[in-house]
Amino acid sequence: MSVSYRQPGVVLTDRRFTVPLDHADPGGETIELYAREAVASDKADQDLPWLVYLQGGPGFGANRFIGRPAWFGRALKDYRVLLLDQRGTGASTPANRQTLPLRGGPAEQADYLAHFRADAIVRDCEAIRPQVTGGAPWTVLG
């Protein structure tokens, strides 16, 4: 279930996606990704192209903008923007000092963290893109 809310000039929708921990094993363990969809309130009913924003890292979720500052305001003139909390960050399934010890010792933790590299983030994006854009291409900003 998606939840939408408004800020001045922007409609925001919280979205959640389930993806495989290991894309090579799609039937195995899964994790959840969180993303915030943003669209200019005067364009909320329009079929706009998508821009997915990948926050630089490591370890931080996407920005939680208030209003339409800087590049975000400019992007909202032409796009629906998806602010993705990449795997292990923000409101997505965490990988941190509280969760890693639950995986076992150092070797097991390292094996788990091997699934949190840039190649897995790209595969996450491609896994959720059909749900977001219907399969259409999107623009990436990171």
Side-chain angles (χ1 to χ4, degrees), residues 94-134:
N96 57 34
R97 64 186 178 92
Q98 289 83 21
T99 63
L100 286 176
L102 303 174
R103 293 283 165 178
E108 292 83 9
Q109 292 175 32
D111 288 343
Y112 181 70
L113 287 174
H115 299 294
F116 289 78
R117 301 181 320 209
D119 59 326
I121 295 166
V122 170
R123 293 188 76 181
D124 290 344
C125 288
E126 285 306 297
I128 69 171
R129 188 171 56 87
Q131 297 171 62
V132 174
T133 71

Side-chain angles (χ1 to χ4, degrees), residues 77-98:
K77 291 181 180 181
D78 298 313
Y79 295 96
R80 273 183 197 276
V81 178
L82 191 71
L83 302 163
L84 179 65
D85 284 357
Q86 299 165 37
R87 53 175 53 212
T89 70
S92 293
T93 299
N96 57 34
R97 64 186 178 92
Q98 289 83 21

Side-chain angles (χ1 to χ4, degrees), residues 60-84:
F60 297 101
N63 298 40
R64 305 293 193 259
F65 294 109
I66 297 174
R68 297 169 68 160
W71 71 265
F72 184 62
R74 175 60 187 95
L76 290 174
K77 291 181 180 181
D78 298 313
Y79 295 96
R80 273 183 197 276
V81 178
L82 191 71
L83 302 163
L84 179 65

Side-chain angles (χ1 to χ4, degrees), residues 40-54:
S41 45
D42 62 340
K43 297 183 180 198
D45 295 331
Q46 295 180 22
D47 185 21
L48 298 171
W50 282 88
L51 181 143
V52 62
Y53 175 68
L54 301 175

